């Protein structure tokens, strides 16, 4: 909320587009280069996961304090690198948290449910924080929102250190005559077919999510979405997106499904159908529906993907795999955001959603074909 107040809402629409594009390119794209290094580093230091998680939280608190000064003085040279560092540390924390989930999972709770409950708690907290920060930013400025986050990060770091000791997985012991092999670097070609299919489906959903954020935002700013005042329309869109994310986490937390890949495919199908319908019947109200369903799909699909990685990938390279997953999804979201920003200049609405609908439909059909071919190659075990 603080960055939105500093980069977008204080500027005219034309200047805001330039600032948003600059933020996406300078802050998000370099992350795609940095993030693949995060996972292997975490895999090498599995015996100190609590301290790595705490370190990412402490560093983010200090960086937010520095970003507050940059926002106050409009110092872009400090703001953007600091935002990049906060993003990288945030992903490192998320990778560490996802990697340790199986080691603290109760025996009677599926991985999707456990991931969903953690995500649901985080989303509720984020919603409360966003509402509070909006009021603080309106009263005293966005820089004070950033300053207020520092003690929260420091307190979270202390809690991370106090996690149970079995969270720190011991390093793998090897025989004296056996050469030590470092964890294998994961690429999108070596994560396995099941994980690869889930990643592709989630990437398609992330493209749609990033597209909707900036496409609908600038359509409202340019007065192409009629029916309500821009401020009211933006508020409803934000509530729809937030409600969709909460609904996705809630459904996953209640679900007892043992087939997370099927959950991912169904989520992609629902997202595709909703986007196609919104392209044909485009209005503010269908935009609200597609924003809600898109956020729902993004939340539920990612939770199912996390469960697939935790189940299919060994602990020795699990953090590396999560690093690859986070990188791919971040790139997909940035690509969708840039596409939405550009298309908001040339189309009033339906054509933009139609383009995204074609991409979603192609991804879904292709994944169905890949899944069918993979299942057909599975050789049944002989009787007896």
């Amino acid at each position: 909320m603080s960055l939105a107040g500093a980069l977008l809402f204080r500027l005219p629409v034309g200047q805001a587009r330039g600032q948003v594009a600059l933020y996406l390119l300078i802050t998000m794209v370099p992350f795609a280069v940095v993030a693949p290094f995060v996972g292997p580093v975490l895999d090498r230091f599995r015996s100190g996961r609590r301290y790595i998680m705490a370190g990412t939280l402490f560093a983010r608190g200090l960086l937010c304090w520095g970003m507050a000064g940059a926002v106050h003085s409009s110092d872009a040279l400090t703001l953007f690198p600091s935002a990049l560092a906060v993003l990288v540390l945030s992903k490192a924390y998320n990778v560490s948290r996802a990697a340790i989930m199986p080691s603290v999972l109760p025996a009677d709770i599926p991985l999707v449910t456990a991931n969903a409950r953690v995500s649901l708690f985080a989303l509720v907290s984020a919603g409360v924080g966003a509402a509070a920060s909006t009021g603080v930013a309106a009263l005293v400025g966005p820089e004070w929102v950033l300053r207020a986050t520092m003690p929260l990060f420091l307190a979270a770091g202390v809690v991370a250190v106090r996690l149970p000791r079995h969270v720190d997985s011991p390093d793998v012991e090897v025989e004296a005559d056996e050469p030590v092999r470092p964890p294998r670097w994961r690429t999108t070609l070596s994560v396995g077919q099941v994980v690869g299919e889930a990643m592709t489906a989630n990437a398609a959903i992330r493209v749609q999510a990033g597209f909707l954020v900036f496409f609908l935002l600038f359509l409202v700013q340019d007065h192409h979405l009629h029916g309500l005042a821009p401020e009211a329309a933006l508020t409803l869109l934000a509530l729809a997106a937030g409600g969709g994310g909460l609904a996705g986490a809630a459904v996953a937390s209640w679900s007892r499904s043992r087939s997370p890949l099927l959950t991912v495919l169904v989520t992609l199908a629902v997202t595709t159908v909703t986007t196609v319908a919104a392209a044909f019947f485009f209005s503010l109200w269908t935009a609200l529906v597609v924003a809600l369903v898109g956020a729902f799909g993004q939340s539920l699909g990612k939770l199912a993907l996390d469960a697939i990685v935790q189940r299919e990938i060994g602990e020795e390279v699990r953090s590396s795999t999560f690093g690859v997953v986070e990188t791919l999804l971040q790139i997909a979201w940035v690509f969708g955001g840039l596409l939405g920003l550009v298309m908001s200049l040339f189309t009033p609405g339906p054509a933009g959603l139609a383009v995204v609908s074609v991409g979603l439909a192609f991804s879904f059909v292709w994944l169905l074909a890949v899944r069918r071919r993979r299942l057909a190659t599975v050789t049944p075990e002989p009787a007896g």
Side-chain angles (χ1 to χ4, degrees), residues 71-205:
V71 168
H72 180 71
S73 61
S74 300
D75 181 8
L77 292 178
T78 301
L79 178 63
F80 287 120
S82 297
L84 171 62
V86 169
L87 179 63
V88 172
L89 290 169
S90 173
K91 295 303 180 181
Y93 168 81
N94 291 337
V95 167
S96 297
R97 187 187 68 185
I100 69 171
M101 184 67 72
S103 64
V104 297
L105 181 70
D108 59 337
I109 299 179
L111 280 168
V112 175
T113 302
N115 291 331
R117 291 178 182 177
V118 172
S119 178
L120 188 62
F121 186 84
L123 286 171
V124 171
S125 303
V128 173
S133 66
T134 302
V136 173
L139 290 174
V140 294
E143 62 273 14
W144 284 102
V145 177
L146 289 167
R147 291 190 178 103
T149 61
M150 189 183 75
L152 296 177
F153 277 125
L154 297 182
V158 173
V159 175
V161 174
R162 294 172 60 85
L163 285 171
R165 289 189 176 184
H166 66 266
V167 166
D168 297 329
S169 174
D171 296 326
V172 178
E173 295 182 2
V174 296
E175 299 294 336
D177 57 347
E178 183 179 349
V180 178
R181 297 182 179 180
R184 182 164 59 92
W185 286 57
R186 286 277 169 177
T187 67
T188 54
L189 300 178
S190 63
V191 295
Q193 289 182 310
V194 176
V195 176
E197 291 171 20
M199 286 172 59
T200 302
N202 273 271
I205 295 173

Side-chain angles (χ1 to χ4, degrees), residues 265-311:
L265 292 176
V266 171
T267 299
L268 177 59
V270 172
T271 303
T272 301
V273 171
T274 306
T275 308
V276 170
F280 278 100
F281 307 101
F282 185 76
S283 68
L284 173 60
W285 309 111
T286 55
L288 290 172
V289 172
V290 77
L292 187 147
V293 174
F296 174 86
Q298 180 179 338
S299 175
L300 182 57
K302 179 58 166 59
L303 292 170
L305 172 59
D306 287 347
I308 292 171
V309 174
Q310 290 161 346
R311 185 186 65 185

